[in-house]
Amino acid sequence: MTNIDLTPRQMLFVLPTANVDGTLAPLDFAHPVLAAELADALIDMRRAMGHTDGTAYQYRRALMSLLRGLPDACPRTVSLATPGLALIDALHAWESALAGNYPPESAIPYKYGRQIRALVRVHAANGRDVSDATLRWAQAHVLHQGGDSTPLDEFSNAERLAIRNACRARIRELEARLAVGRRLLASADDPRSTGWERSADVLWGIRHLGRRPGASIEADVLRACASGV
């Protein structure tokens, strides 16, 4: 990684009620490189797009939410250019947790997810390094709904909230299972040489050998499952 400037990023927001010093010091956060990159993206966006101070301040609030909400498992040195899925897993965890931090009718989870994605895209558009996985995340749909759609009349408000909460729970469960799968794959070996005795190796075999021409691995997988792997 090239040398990263971690000095404070100066920002001032002139709002209707007060002038706000929005200076962001990357070293104040657990992930200083990421903080510096996204703060620079905000400064660049503000300059290039002519956002009002109020709009730019809302982007800063989204950035603060992210920097304070990333899980501890995310490496301290992570950046937008870091390969692999560590940052993606952390972004998913942060975005998923937003739903529990605001009332069901709030549009903030959607807004924050959209704004952080925009900052990542600005960083990439300025020619700075962004990993393929992170750029795909930034170009994907926001996890949470925007809150501006018209509810269907056939459901009561309580039923709509229950359906939404159930869907969110399913999504979180799926994301947790995907994260477990990624961790298993990271520790796995080719079962053709190590045997079909570890769940991580069986998963590796399904992922890498399941569609290859040649002998089928179905019997190996079934035997592994039957033995309790």
Side-chain angles (χ1 to χ4, degrees), residues 60-196:
R60 185 187 182 277
R61 293 185 65 178
L63 177 53
M64 296 298 291
S65 169
L66 173 69
L67 295 176
R68 291 170 175 166
L70 288 173
D72 294 338
C74 185
R76 176 174 173 79
T77 57
V78 75
S79 78
L80 295 176
T82 300
L85 297 173
L87 178 57
I88 304 304
D89 288 342
L91 289 168
H92 277 307
W94 163 74
E95 193 171 16
S96 297
L98 288 175
N101 296 335
Y102 297 94
E105 67 276 9
S106 175
I108 290 179
Y110 166 80
K111 182 172 72 172
Y112 282 3
R114 175 179 58 80
Q115 289 172 329
I116 295 301
R117 283 172 170 82
L119 292 178
V120 175
R121 294 196 300 270
V122 167
H123 187 83
N126 285 334
R128 300 187 177 102
D129 291 337
V130 177
S131 73
D132 290 342
T134 302
L135 189 57
R136 284 195 299 270
W137 178 86
Q139 293 170 338
H141 291 297
V142 178
L143 177 61
H144 302 292
Q145 190 178 18
D148 54 358
S149 59
T150 302
L152 297 176
D153 291 338
E154 58 262 38
F155 296 110
S156 69
N157 192 53
E159 289 170 331
R160 284 194 296 271
L161 293 178
I163 293 170
R164 187 211 58 188
N165 290 338
C167 290
R168 285 179 173 173
R170 292 285 184 90
I171 291 172
R172 294 190 189 104
E173 180 183 350
L174 176 59
E175 289 175 341
R177 292 172 62 187
L178 289 172
V180 170
R182 295 188 190 107
R183 289 194 294 270
L184 285 172
L185 283 173
S187 65
D189 295 307
D190 188 339
R192 292 174 297 182
S193 57
T194 61
W196 298 78

Side-chain angles (χ1 to χ4, degrees), residues 11 13 22-24 42 56-64:
M11 288 181 269
F13 302 95
T23 297
L24 190 150
L42 174 53
Y57 183 66
Q58 293 304 315
Y59 273 88
R60 185 187 182 277
R61 293 185 65 178
L63 177 53
M64 296 298 291

Side-chain angles (χ1 to χ4, degrees), residues 4-11 22-40 43 63-64 67 76:
I4 301 295
D5 177 11
L6 297 178
T7 58
R9 270 51 174 183
Q10 304 292 330
M11 288 181 269
T23 297
L24 190 150
L27 291 173
D28 287 347
F29 300 94
H31 305 91
V33 177
L34 187 65
E37 291 175 330
L38 291 175
D40 287 342
I43 292 170
L63 177 53
M64 296 298 291
L67 295 176
R76 176 174 173 79

